[in-house]
Structures are given as C-alpha cells and as structure tokens.
Amino acid sequence: MTQYPKIELHVHLEGTVREPTLREIAKGNGYPLPDDLENRHRYRDFGEFIEVFELRMGALQTYDDFRRVVVEYAAEAAAHGAVYLEAIFSPGLWRGLNQDEVFGGYCDGAQEARELHNVDVRLTPDLPGVYSPEQAENVATLAVKYRERGVVGLGLVGAADDRAMEPFSRAFTIAREGGLGVVPHAGEVAGPESVRAALDVLSADRIRHGIRAAKDAALVRDLADRGTVLDVCPLSNVRLGVVASLSDHPLPRLVAAGVRCSISTDDPAMFDTNLTRDYEAATSLGLDPRALYEAGVVGALCDDETRARLRQIAESFDWRS
C-alpha cells in the first residue's frame, strides 16, 4: 500500500520516547524507573495517566536528552509518512531545569530532524494549569525569544473553564503579540464549556482535542463557522476512556457538521500507537485521508512558504492509490 503524506499537530515529545531510549536516558541521568513501566501504560483514569507521564518526563533532564527525543520521534513519524509535525513539550519549571537548555535542546533537535529526516518540526511549549500567572508569563516570554528557532505557539493543559483560563490571559497576550499562535487543550476530559472558554477567553487559534464540543450543537456550529481546527487523537481518546470505543467517537459527526479535524497520536509511546494507526482509526470511521491532511495544513502554525509546500505535497500525491 502506498504511504500517503500525513501532518501531525498534537504530539507530546515526552510521550513519544519508546522504552529502550527512555531507560538509556534515565540510566545516564541516574534516574530510577520502575521495572514494570510498560505495565503502567494501562490507565484506570486520566489522573493515573498524568502520574505515569510525569514519571517518564522526569528522566529527561539535559540539553542532549531534549534534542535526541525530537530527532528520534521525527524519524519514527517520517516512517509513517509525516511531512510536518507540531510537537509539544513541558518547560519543566518545577523540576529546576535550565530553560535555555530545554528550549535550546528541543529547537536544535527540530533543526537536526529537518536535516536528517526531511520532516518540518515546529514546537509549542505547554503551560500546565497549575502554573502561576507569573510563571506562565515567563514561559511565554521565553517562547517568543525562541520564535526564530522553531517555536510557533503556546499551549495550555489542565484548565477546564473560563475561570481556570482567565489567569493565563496575559501570558497568551504576550505570546500573540510576539507572533505565536494560541493552542490550548480543551474538550478532552473537561466538557464543551472548556472549548468555549478557549475560544472566548484565550482567542484560541486551534483547539487540542475539542471533541466534547460535539455535545453542544451551537458550539459545533461556531467552530465550523470560525474554521477552527481540532487536533483529534482517536486512540488516545479510547485508551483514556474519553470515548467508550472507537465506534462511539464523535469525529465523524464533527466533520459532517463542517468542523475541520486533523489527526494526531498525542502520546504514542504511552498509548501503543503510531501515526499510521491513528490515521487508520480515523479512516475506519469513513473519513477521507486527504481531508484530514488538508485540515492539518489549515491548522498548522507555519509560515506561508511552508504552508505552500505542504499544499504542493497534497496536490502532487495520487490519493486514489
């Protein structure tokens, strides 16, 4: 079967690291990992998932760790047809990390990934919802500083409604004024009210997940009218119990209502998935892979030259094959 081109807009770099690499990095940093780590990749709930995510994330500590994980995931994604990635990372303020090592490692890794694997990689640091406004504003300022090295947006995770998002509004103003996009998580664990807050409080350019918007017909119409792209991660949603099963996923209903949806893996090493599997999950629901790719082109926070190149890739590929 011909491998069609893919765009991925929602992948957490800390959740891409396969176990052999993670254990090698952890050993080099003197960081203990449990022997049964893979067995912990079955989650009772979202809270347990976050615990395992933070356990894994703690292994990544140095400039070279951050650089390496970008390059290795770009190689994996390229093998599944990826031509453009927007990768998420946590600044790790509470771990006492040198922020220039964090940002510099990821940015240099993105450059190396382009050179080695011919995949355009852009970066979007995520603000945890437990950060103070001051911490969030510091990260936003740093993200703007690294804009010329591949940082294109600022995200937010763990804020469920307008009250939780409001303290971050200044950070996102800094990001937007500095030329970055606004890409918060919403509509995954929290309901449609989180999607509405992301639009109204943060003026989101794109929504990470967003699938619970399907419960609010007026919100779905608004998303369609605005042309807001949702980063949908089908297998992540199943593994975390956000949907009961793939057949229950609202993705086809959202697309039928005119909402643009791109496809991503979220945390592939933690959900036993890859870009091919998630695209296959989406197309098994009757969706057209070219339409999913084109939603990715629209949602990408890239420059005009890159967007034109991505469109040319779509035009030159024989999708009928």
Side-chain angles (χ1 to χ4, degrees), residues 149 193 226 246:
R149 293 180 59 186
E193 68 280 356
R226 291 173 184 243
L246 186 61

Side-chain angles (χ1 to χ4, degrees), residues 37-49:
L37 181 63
E38 283 195 327
N39 293 335
R40 300 190 186 201
H41 291 165
R42 302 179 185 93
Y43 314 105
R44 290 188 302 270
D45 53 33
F46 189 77
E48 186 177 43
F49 163 75

Side-chain angles (χ1 to χ4, degrees), residues 161-163 165-167 169 172 196-204:
D161 54 26
D162 54 355
R163 203 151 116 195
M165 292 186 188
E166 184 60 42
S169 59
F172 283 100
R196 173 56 66 193
L199 295 173
D200 293 349
V201 176
L202 302 182
S203 301

Side-chain angles (χ1 to χ4, degrees), residues 98-162:
N98 179 301
Q99 291 298 287
D100 284 311
E101 280 205 13
V102 175
F103 276 78
Y106 283 127
C107 289
D108 286 352
Q111 177 62 36
E112 188 175 343
R114 283 191 289 273
E115 294 168 357
L116 292 177
H117 306 301
N118 198 31
V119 179
D120 269 312
V121 181
R122 304 293 190 272
L123 297 161
T124 56
D126 241 356
L127 300 172
V130 292
Y131 274 13
S132 69
E134 293 75 20
Q135 288 172 322
E137 290 158 25
N138 287 342
V139 172
T141 300
L142 194 59
V144 171
K145 171 185 170 182
Y146 279 87
R147 186 171 66 90
E148 297 302 322
R149 293 180 59 186
V151 174
V152 294
L154 184 67
L156 175 66
V157 62
D161 54 26
D162 54 355

